Amino acid sequence: MQRRTFLSALAGGASAVAFTSISQRLRAGMLADEPPVRLDPSGAGESVFDRVRTMAGAFDARLYTKILGAANAFKEGDEIVGVAAVDEDSRVQARTLLSNTRIEEIDAHPLIEDSLSALLRRSRDDRAAQRTEGMTVGDLKRFLLDRDEDAIKGIMPGLSSEVIGCVVKLMSNEELIAVGSKVFNPLPGSKVGARGYLGARIQPNSPTDDVIDIRWQVFSGWSFAVGDVLLGNNPVSSTPESVGAIEKTLKEVIATFGLEDVLPHCVLSHIDVQAEVEASQPGSTALWFQSIAGSDAANRTFDVSTEKMLGYADARSGPFGLYFETGQGADFTNGHAQGVDMVVHEARKYGFARALAQRVAQARANAGAEPDAWLIVNDVAGFIGPEVFRTKEQLVRCCLEDIVMGKLHGLCIGLDVCSTLHMSVSLDDLDWCLDQVTPACPAYLMGLPTKIDPMLGYLTTGFQDHVRLRETFGTRVEDRMWAFFQALGVIDADGRPTEHFGDPLWVYLQYCRRKGDARSDAEILSDGTAQMDAVRSHGVFLPRGHGERPFDLEPGLGEAITRIYDDAKESIWAELPPAFVAGVPGAVSVATRSADREDYILHPESGERLSDAGLETIRRLRQNHNGRFDVQIVISDGLNALAISEEGHLAPFLDRLRAQLERDGFRAAPEHIVVTSGRVRAGYRIGETLFGGLDGRRAVLHLIGERPGTGHRTFSVYLTSADGSVWGREDAVDHNITKVVSGIATTALSPARGVDETMSLLNIVNP
């Protein structure tokens, strides 16, 4: 699962009281429906371990974990896990206790024990660890604030991930900025991540994986002198064929401009798919991407393990190594918090990345190369939604914590300062967030033509934002890429915008000339204009030029973005009309445990399991089917009911799907199960009830409305196929065995093509 499940709009704002059901808490990793953490004032010099023994009579692992969590700045996710302080006084007390706690005591009491924990221990430098012997966490905080970069780097390799996670809890935002602004881990042979530099990953996403969309977004970014770290696409389709086509496109653009040794490319599919593409098309890939988590259990959600990732690291002997994406809250929202707070989980992800960086270095040394290779990380802060945190202030806090934790692990870390459309973070709020975060010196930020991603449907950093931040904070673009932008003619020798600044047509002209295109300028520009019009018709914003200032949007573009933002809010709150549901052929209506739309939006787990009445309906359906069918079609409103009810979407899709299922020999149940307030995991639970214990492979095809904010009203198909024995184990089926076809709409991936891709995947998993 790579960034594909989206939530909806915030209800209740920052003052909303979070409801957390027992089932939600249990799924998040709690052992019981526990109360928040309340702590009385501490005694002089009292540590966390002293308090635990006082309260429990002996060491109690759960109480210890809760006190560490209580030291966190408040976020809704920690409250759901059951480790948040009950109030600010208790939070202050938890921080005081933690400040008095010795580092070696924390290291002697690991919060999670698994294979990742063992790897994290092996990756620490024992000699560097000796330099912090006898320190408390408070001492470490003072050391980080008082000492210079060289001194800090002398102890960094010896700091455990859990200690790094603990020390940031003691710091104010200003203190996090102070540490972030003096520790830098630039990429080898590059200024990416160096002092004074702020880079950009161009994120050229397309609603249909159209390589023309992708190529023109690169041209657009470069026209603003943005895009010096990575060309990194999030694909709609995870098939090797689609991923390979995008890899080829990105590589070709880079090679045309002679940047092969300067700038890598990447398609953010599962790492297994990237390896398959490289095996079939040697040399087509550069950086290899993978989302990673903070424990073995959570990593299984991404279908990776420590062993698998170590194997891939051992094979990365080229100049471009690995690229990881993380984010606070991903562990608990996937049901694997294990009772541990979000900051510690995030720190463990950076420890995982540090350990893998060491293995990549060893692989390069074994190959006779310089050991350093590019290994980068970005934190996707704000991507999950209001069950993790809800406000712009919390988004900034998360970003600052993660910058410092990543840097203290020795990583080159960037940010996706982003917001889903159900958080109380607006387009204007993101500017404020960027201004608060940039002084902490992340290595890079995302870069898109505007703040709205045309495929993922969330808010993030636009190209013009980078131009504004460069002017406001005096940050620089990587030297070799800056020289390229000057040679391209979009900036002059003094770094000022030229007449071609912000004009992707000019970049296209240079691209064609470098490819030996002999047409006249007028012919090339006419062709380019037609291509730009086609890209824009796909819902991909492609600015040409800018407003009064170089960082102002092209006139009229801001209003268009606002219209999409408003449509997204409408889509999020929409529900399937009863008359529409009644018109679905063979509709069997069921509801989830969500009390209403607000509950569904704020508490995703409530939409993952059926109500008692809904579950009984599915049981009766199983009896009626008597094992005759091997495919069940499920339809959910999801986060975009309008995508399901939009004219020309559902009916033609179902007609074509059923025809192809019959053609290929599948036995599809005649009923369509229509779920109110349904999320992706509701489909898994339906499959368990229908197929558990039956012979052979059985598949659920779950059509669900998604991604409000793309400018398209799109739905996706989540395809899950497993043997009846697997369906029969409660919660055994999850995202790790699911394939997805996304972005289906009459204005994006057509319903006909959506069916064809769905059937292609189904036939692969059901040979």
Side-chain angles (χ1 to χ4, degrees):
M1 295 279 292
Q2 314 297 347
R3 285 217 219 174
R4 60 182 171 84
T5 302
F6 273 82
L7 310 174
S8 44
L10 177 74
S15 62
V17 177
F19 165 77
T20 53
S21 66
I22 292 176
S23 62
Q24 187 176 8
R25 288 171 177 260
L26 288 173
R27 180 161 187 86
M30 293 182 61
L31 303 180
D33 191 20
E34 302 171 89
V37 181
R38 185 181 299 277
L39 295 170
D40 295 329
S42 59
E46 186 182 9
S47 72
V48 171
F49 292 96
D50 294 332
R51 177 60 63 92
V52 168
R53 286 188 286 267
T54 298
M55 294 177 67
F59 177 73
D60 181 281
R62 182 58 187 155
L63 180 57
Y64 168 60
T65 304
K66 292 183 70 171
I67 293 176
L68 290 187
N72 277 356
F74 175 75
K75 302 186 187 83
E76 278 75 13
D78 286 334
E79 183 176 61
I80 291 174
V81 174
V83 295
V86 68
D87 54 28
E88 192 59 32
D89 287 342
S90 291
R91 186 168 295 107
V92 170
Q93 297 309 318
R95 288 173 176 167
T96 301
L97 295 169
L98 180 57
S99 180
N100 294 331
T101 302
R102 290 186 295 118
I103 287 174
E104 53 260 45
E105 285 188 287
I106 293 173
D107 289 336
H109 294 81
L111 297 175
I112 297 172
E113 274 292 3
D114 57 14
S115 70
L116 177 57
S117 301
L119 176 64
L120 298 185
R121 284 192 290 270
R122 294 196 303 271
S123 67
R124 289 176 57 204
D125 185 305
D126 291 336
R127 293 182 62 182
Q130 292 173 2
R131 299 173 186 172
T132 60
E133 282 186 355
M135 274 191 186
T136 64
V137 182
D139 293 333
L140 177 60
K141 171 188 167 181
R142 288 185 286 274
F143 185 97
L144 296 174
L145 291 171
D146 295 343
R147 303 295 293 273
D148 64 15
E149 182 180 26
D150 288 342
I152 294 171
K153 287 196 168 183
I155 67 169
M156 278 170 27
L159 296 176
S160 71
S161 296
E162 289 181 356
V163 166
I164 290 173
C166 284
V167 74
V168 300
K169 300 179 184 188
L170 303 184
M171 295 184 185
S172 66
N173 285 8
E174 293 72 22
E175 289 168 334
L176 290 169
I177 290 170
V179 175
S181 63
K182 66 178 174 180
V183 176
F184 297 88
N185 304 304
L187 294 175
S190 169
K191 291 294 187 180
V192 173
R195 188 184 303 273
Y197 290 79
L198 177 62
R201 165 196 155 191
I202 290 183
Q203 185 170 298
N205 293 343
S206 165
T208 59
D209 284 345
D210 188 307
V211 296
I212 305 299
D213 293 352
I214 292 166
R215 185 182 291 121
W216 274 92
Q217 288 178 79
V218 176
F219 296 159
S220 179
W222 284 352
S223 74
F224 287 99
V226 171
D228 56 340
V229 178
L230 170 68
L231 306 183
N233 165 271
N234 296 91
V236 173
S237 171
S238 58
T239 64
E241 295 76 16
S242 181
V243 171
I246 300 171
E247 295 271 17
K248 181 180 178 181
T249 297
L250 296 175
K251 180 180 179 179
E252 186 270 340
V253 172
I254 289 170
T256 297
F257 286 101
L259 299 172
E260 300 97 317
D261 297 327
V262 178
L263 186 71
H265 64 280
C266 181
V267 179
L268 281 68
S269 62
H270 193 280
I271 194 168
D272 291 347
V273 177
Q274 294 163 81
E276 184 177 346
V277 170
E278 179 63 26
S280 63
Q281 304 175 42
S284 61
T285 67
L287 271 178
W288 283 13
F289 165 84
Q290 182 55 49
S291 293
I292 56 174
S295 69
D296 287 359
N299 274 311
R300 282 193 291 271
T301 302
F302 297 125
D303 192 23
V304 295
S305 63
T306 54
E307 293 77 14
K308 175 185 284 190
M309 293 307 301
L310 287 170
Y312 279 129
D314 290 341
R316 303 300 292 157
S317 58
F320 301 124
L322 295 169
Y323 171 30
F324 301 119
E325 202 165 72
T326 70
Q328 288 193 34
D331 310 83
F332 97 78
T333 56
N334 280 310
H336 300 297
Q338 299 171 251
V340 175
D341 68 81
M342 297 193 299
V343 168
V344 166
H345 269 289
E346 186 72 7
R348 286 170 58 88
K349 297 168 197 176
Y350 302 138
F352 195 7
R354 177 171 67 181
L356 292 170
Q358 293 169 3
R359 291 293 282 260
V360 171
Q362 186 60 53
R364 284 179 55 78
N366 293 342
E370 291 294 324
D372 291 333
W374 280 34
L375 188 141
I376 60 176
V377 180
N378 76 256
D379 162 38
V380 188
F383 186 78
I384 297 176
E387 72 273 31
V388 175
F389 52 81
R390 299 183 188 171
T391 69
K392 64 180 182 180
E393 291 81 10
Q394 290 173 308
L395 174 56
V396 166
R397 176 70 191 187
C398 175
C399 290
L400 295 176
E401 291 168 346
D402 295 350
I403 290 170
V404 172
M405 290 193 293
K407 288 191 172 192
L408 292 180
H409 278 91
L411 300 171
C412 183
I413 181 167
L415 293 175
D416 191 344
V417 184
C418 60
S419 171
T420 54
L421 288 154
H422 53 335
M423 295 174 65
S424 60
V425 179
S426 69
L427 292 162
D428 290 338
D429 288 339
L430 278 184
D431 288 341
W432 179 85
C433 292
L434 292 172
D435 288 345
Q436 304 304 305
V437 168
T438 299
C441 303
Y444 63 98
L445 303 171
M446 300 300 103
L448 293 90
T450 71
K451 279 185 169 69
I452 293 184
D453 187 293
M455 188 274 282
L456 292 173
Y458 74 129
L459 308 181
T460 185
T461 312
F463 298 146
Q464 279 98 344
D465 295 318
H466 281 271
V467 179
R468 182 181 69 81
L469 292 173
R470 291 198 301 244
E471 181 170 312
T472 302
F473 294 97
T475 56
R476 300 170 62 186
V477 171
E478 204 279 332
D479 291 349
R480 295 171 299 172
M481 286 299 294
W482 190 248
F484 164 68
F485 294 139
Q486 289 176 318
L488 192 61
V490 297
I491 52 172
D492 64 20
D494 296 321
R496 293 188 298 264
T498 70
E499 61 182 314
H500 304 301
F501 188 79
D503 185 359
L505 270 177
W506 171 257
V507 180
Y508 176 66
L509 176 62
Q510 311 316 304
Y511 167 80
C512 291
R513 290 291 180 235
R514 287 173 179 259
K515 291 183 72 66
D517 193 327
R519 292 178 296 172
S520 68
D521 285 3
E523 289 174 309
I524 292 174
L525 294 175
S526 176
D527 172 48
T529 300
Q531 290 190 36
M532 286 186 66
D533 289 343
V535 170
R536 288 167 169 165
S537 73
H538 301 160
V540 177
F541 288 119
L542 208 59
R544 187 179 184 197
H546 51 79
E548 182 177 346
R549 298 169 296 186
F551 53 80
D552 289 335
L553 284 173
E554 176 187 5
L557 189 53
E559 291 80 359
I561 293 170
T562 299
R563 285 195 297 273
I564 286 184
Y565 183 84
D566 293 341
D567 179 75
K569 294 294 187 181
E570 178 186 355
S571 299
I572 284 162
W573 288 98
E575 300 181 63
L576 291 175
F580 175 83
V581 174
V584 175
V588 175
S589 296
V590 296
T592 64
R593 298 183 183 183
S594 298
D596 51 31
R597 194 69 181 171
E598 180 176 333
D599 185 27
Y600 172 73
I601 288 167
L602 289 180
H603 309 112
E605 200 274 344
S606 68
E608 294 180 347
R609 294 182 182 272
L610 299 184
S611 66
D612 291 342
L615 190 58
E616 183 57 34
T617 297
I618 302 302
R619 287 173 179 151
R620 289 197 300 270
L621 197 61
R622 176 188 173 114
Q623 291 178 341
N624 293 337
H625 286 174
N626 196 27
R628 290 174 292 159
F629 306 112
D630 57 11
V631 173
Q632 178 63 59
I633 300 172
V634 177
I635 303 164
S636 291
D637 48 9
L639 299 171
N640 194 347
L642 297 179
I644 298 295
S645 60
E646 187 90 353
E647 186 176 355
H649 281 193
L650 185 63
F653 185 91
L654 292 177
D655 289 344
R656 186 179 180 90
L657 177 62
R658 286 196 169 275
Q660 293 199 21
L661 286 168
E662 182 177 357
R663 178 200 67 188
D664 292 349
F666 291 97
R667 295 171 286 115
E671 300 88 358
H672 298 109
I673 298 173
V674 182
V675 184
T676 301
S677 296
R679 292 185 182 266
V680 174
R681 284 194 174 97
Y684 306 155
R685 307 292 79 84
I686 289 171
E688 289 173 356
T689 304
L690 280 179
F691 298 145
L694 298 180
D695 294 335
R697 293 190 73 84
R698 313 276 173 151
V700 170
L701 303 182
H702 191 175
L703 286 60
I704 185 166
E706 285 198 305
R707 301 181 180 175
T710 62
H712 305 272
R713 292 177 173 174
T714 65
F715 66 94
S716 300
V717 180
Y718 287 79
L719 188 161
T720 310
S721 177
D723 288 334
S725 59
V726 177
W727 284 114
R729 299 201 306 270
E730 185 177 4
D731 292 344
V733 173
D734 207 80
H735 302 325
N736 60 308
I737 63 171
T738 294
K739 306 295 184 183
V740 64
V741 178
S742 302
I744 302 170
T746 55
T747 57
L749 183 70
S750 71
R753 284 186 57 196
V755 170
D756 294 345
E757 290 205 17
T758 299
M759 291 303 302
S760 176
L761 288 172
L762 183 59
N763 282 302
I764 289 172
V765 298
N766 287 273

